[in-house]
Amino acid sequence: MNLVDTTTEHVVEGIGVAPGIAIGPAYLYARAAFEIEDRRIASENLEGELVRFEQAVSRSERDLRKIAAVAREKLGESSADIFVAQALMLRDAAFYEAVVEHIRSDRMSADYAAHVVMSHHRQLLEAGESEYLRERANDMLDLQDRVVRHLRRGKILSTIDAESIVVAESLTAADIVLFSQRAILGTALDYGGATSHVSLMARALGLPAIVGMHGVTEQVASGDMLVLDGLTGRVVINPTEDTLAFYRDRQKRYRQLQKEQKKIVSLPAQTFDGHNVRLMANLEFMEELELVEEYGAEGVGLFRTEVLFLMRKRVSLSEEEQFKAYRRIVESVAPHPTTFRMLDFGGDKMLPLGHREHNPFLGWRGVRVLLDKPEMLHPQLRAIVRASHFGPLRILLPMVTELNEVYAFKERLGTVYEEFAREGLEYDPDIPVGIMVEVPSVAIKATRFAREVDFFSIGTNDLTQYTLAVDRGNDLVADKYQELDPAILQLIRQTVEAAHACGIGVSVCGELAARAVATPILLGLGIDELSASPIYLPEVKRVLRSIRMEEARALADQALQARDAHEVTSLLEVWLREHDCDVASMLEA
Ligand code: PEP
Ligand code: MG
């Protein structure tokens, strides 16, 4: 039941995943749902059914090749790979042969057989606790839809005639690429997460997007006027003239700001008084590689390697498969370094081993799993060491809590070096090894760790949850998840002091590094590198370029004395406003 009067202005909120402001009519997009029944075929129709299936598969391949070509042109090679991979899945024995087998042996219709096989794969993915795997299930649905549509000779309607904001339950990566050929202004979706391919594509295409709107499709009709603000995650349906005027102005300011940010990309990441801070990229997908250069990142400060594994739906990727991926990454990022974080399974990233724990965040996670599972650690280490011959790289260990873990890891790395020397393979024998500082005890004992490793990377996402005892994914306590709590700042300061006393550098790679509001404090605490999703780097750089080290240090000192995170935030907001650096007030002024 819809209790909202949809004819007057009202607002729906979700998660803004691609920034920007779109204003225009809605286009409500719904995939035609096909009823799939358990239909069996007569023996004399068997060959015909197999031909029908083959035709639908080759038509689907043709579609995907076209979409890949568009993605290649607009977004580059690695985005096109998503669709090339989907096309390959169609010919994968696990799909193609399995469908043929059901048609031949069980006399299933091609539609039903494709449905049965795909549903089975989808259910396996959906059973996973990871949002990422559920997204992959969505990709499967797209493939199934495509094949069935061709079997029924249906049309795929990812097209619009006039400039519109596409509102849908969900979109696939293919949908958004096809819409981008037309006049799409932005998109608002009921489902989806920040890590979904559609979010990634929207960001890369520069299309404002909001996901997780829970039921926006029920509140919007095609043709309704909409304002979509990807910065705040808000959609205004049927806005009044005043609201429209407000957002038109905001849109103008945002575009102006974007132009300024483009200029910033090529400027040095340096404070007003010439102190350099390295700005690096956090990456999870191969498709994001192009963004490193586009946003002026000087290397990759965090590559979450577990995501490659989750994408392939397997616990183990062979050494060869991993090597190919790592080599491509280091070659693309060179001459800057790439920081490969060793597999960080456990916690909220489902460990694909069918293993369950009552309290996974305090359980078998990160380096603990790696050291217990040589069959996981060894191929990954070999793949990274092989890739080290093709460009500069660093190794980062997740979830370290004990010095013994560092020693054990280094021993394993030493063994791999020996293997390479014996095998006569080329490699860098001095790969820097660092640890994530994401557990308070490590920050407290930082000096001891600093003597044993080559760099620190502070993971503020986990450091915050472990220091404040607040689950980072629990909505009920979200207001208590305060990365700028003075206790966290104190731990960062201790970590930096210990590192610098031992002559090693410190990076921050948690989400705090992406928040320009925190840049003055991180700088003042002595951080050498900041690593964040590339799209946030220009804003961080703008703040960086406006501040002097002395001011940053004074702000950090003040923040450490503050009562709580709110006081720290107010302190920073005042500074940003006084120095014309506050994006929110620039847009709203
Ligand atoms: C962190 O904990 O801050 C971090 C960067 O790691 P992840 O978010 O992958 O746990
Ligand atoms: Mg972490």
Side-chain angles (χ1 to χ4, degrees), residues 41 46-47 49-51 53-54 57 90-110 113-114 117:
I41 49 167
L46 176 64
E47 289 311 315
E49 197 64 6
L50 289 170
V51 169
F53 175 60
E54 168 53 37
V57 167
L90 288 170
R91 295 285 173 190
D92 192 298
F95 172 65
Y96 194 91
E97 301 298 332
V99 173
V100 167
E101 184 55 27
H102 278 309
I103 300 175
R104 268 194 206 291
S105 314
D106 306 325
R107 295 280 186 268
M108 285 183 186
S109 68
V117 172

Side-chain angles (χ1 to χ4, degrees), residues 66-194:
K66 265 196 226 153
I67 298 168
V70 176
R72 189 169 296 120
E73 191 190 312
K74 290 199 157 193
L75 299 166
E77 196 59 50
S78 40
S79 294
D81 282 356
I82 296 178
F83 307 107
V84 174
Q86 276 197 335
L88 288 176
M89 268 166 75
L90 288 170
R91 295 285 173 190
D92 192 298
F95 172 65
Y96 194 91
E97 301 298 332
V99 173
V100 167
E101 184 55 27
H102 278 309
I103 300 175
R104 268 194 206 291
S105 314
D106 306 325
R107 295 280 186 268
M108 285 183 186
S109 68
D111 316 32
Y112 186 57
H115 168 76
V116 167
V117 172
M118 285 293 199
S119 305
H120 174 69
H121 286 300
R122 263 190 15 244
Q123 274 159 13
L124 287 180
L125 290 173
E126 277 163 0
E129 278 158 25
S130 136
E131 177 190 318
Y132 192 79
L133 286 188
R134 287 197 292 270
E135 287 296 339
R136 298 291 71 75
N138 211 21
D139 288 352
M140 292 284 239
L141 189 62
D142 182 53
L143 220 49
Q144 175 184 327
D145 230 53
R146 200 169 287 287
V147 173
V148 172
R149 219 177 281 261
H150 280 301
L151 282 167
R152 309 257 175 119
R153 304 202 163 269
K155 286 233 164 21
I156 293 178
L157 294 167
S158 320
T159 61
I160 36 179
D161 296 329
E163 287 200 329
S164 319
I165 295 174
V166 174
V167 179
E169 281 189 8
S170 66
L171 287 183
T172 64
D175 290 329
I176 196 146
V177 169
L178 289 174
F179 275 128
S180 79
Q181 287 287 77
R182 306 293 169 136
I184 184 173
L185 297 169
T187 188
L189 308 176
D190 282 343
Y191 302 107

Side-chain angles (χ1 to χ4, degrees), residues 132 284-285 304-312 343 345:
Y132 192 79
E284 291 172 347
F285 309 93
R304 292 177 160 106
T305 57
E306 60 276 4
V307 177
L308 287 180
F309 282 60
L310 296 174
M311 261 179 97
R312 312 274 166 105
L343 292 168
F345 283 124

Side-chain angles (χ1 to χ4, degrees), residues 101-340:
E101 184 55 27
H102 278 309
I103 300 175
R104 268 194 206 291
S105 314
D106 306 325
R107 295 280 186 268
M108 285 183 186
S109 68
D111 316 32
Y112 186 57
H115 168 76
V116 167
V117 172
M118 285 293 199
S119 305
H120 174 69
H121 286 300
R122 263 190 15 244
Q123 274 159 13
L124 287 180
L125 290 173
E126 277 163 0
E129 278 158 25
S130 136
E131 177 190 318
Y132 192 79
L133 286 188
R134 287 197 292 270
E135 287 296 339
R136 298 291 71 75
N138 211 21
D139 288 352
M140 292 284 239
L141 189 62
D142 182 53
L143 220 49
Q144 175 184 327
D145 230 53
R146 200 169 287 287
V147 173
V148 172
R149 219 177 281 261
H150 280 301
L151 282 167
R152 309 257 175 119
R153 304 202 163 269
K155 286 233 164 21
I156 293 178
L157 294 167
S158 320
T159 61
I160 36 179
D161 296 329
E163 287 200 329
S164 319
I165 295 174
V166 174
V167 179
E169 281 189 8
S170 66
L171 287 183
T172 64
D175 290 329
I176 196 146
V177 169
L178 289 174
F179 275 128
S180 79
Q181 287 287 77
R182 306 293 169 136
I184 184 173
L185 297 169
T187 188
L189 308 176
D190 282 343
Y191 302 107
T195 60
S196 62
H197 273 146
V198 70
S199 304
L200 197 84
M201 294 274 179
R203 282 199 288 275
L205 288 162
L207 285 175
I210 307 179
V211 300
M213 300 210 76
H214 303 294
V216 68
T217 45
E218 284 159 30
Q219 303 192 36
V220 170
S222 277
D224 277 354
M225 189 61 178
L226 298 185
V227 169
L228 182 149
D229 186 341
L231 296 158
T232 56
R234 225 172 263 159
V235 168
V236 187
I237 304 170
N238 295 319
T240 62
E241 275 310 313
D242 282 354
T243 307
L244 269 178
F246 170 84
Y247 277 102
R248 285 205 176 102
D249 188 47
R250 188 169 156 84
Q251 189 180 45
K252 212 167 81 200
R253 282 169 200 277
Y254 179 72
R255 287 185 179 152
Q256 187 58 35
L257 203 67
Q258 265 189 317
K259 269 196 212 138
E260 283 166 28
Q261 291 200 337
K262 283 249 156 64
K263 283 188 228 143
I264 269 185
V265 164
S266 53
L267 297 175
Q270 197 168 68
T271 59
F272 195 74
D273 51 343
H275 175 89
N276 291 305
V277 175
R278 182 142 67 167
L279 296 188
M280 304 179 88
N282 281 5
L283 300 188
E284 291 172 347
F285 309 93
M286 303 292 281
E287 298 88 322
E288 290 173 305
L289 274 174
E290 274 103 10
L291 303 183
V292 175
E293 199 184 334
E294 191 180 330
Y295 285 90
E298 296 175 84
V300 173
L302 172 65
F303 192 96
R304 292 177 160 106
T305 57
E306 60 276 4
V307 177
L308 287 180
F309 282 60
L310 296 174
M311 261 179 97
R312 312 274 166 105
K313 317 177 284 285
R314 276 186 274 146
V315 185
S316 62
L317 284 188
S318 69
E319 174 189 323
E320 190 60 29
E321 286 170 305
Q322 292 187 63
F323 164 66
K324 280 196 188 129
Y326 301 156
R327 175 180 172 172
R328 187 159 141 211
I329 299 164
V330 292
E331 284 182 337
S332 149
V333 177
H336 299 301
T338 300
T339 313
F340 288 105

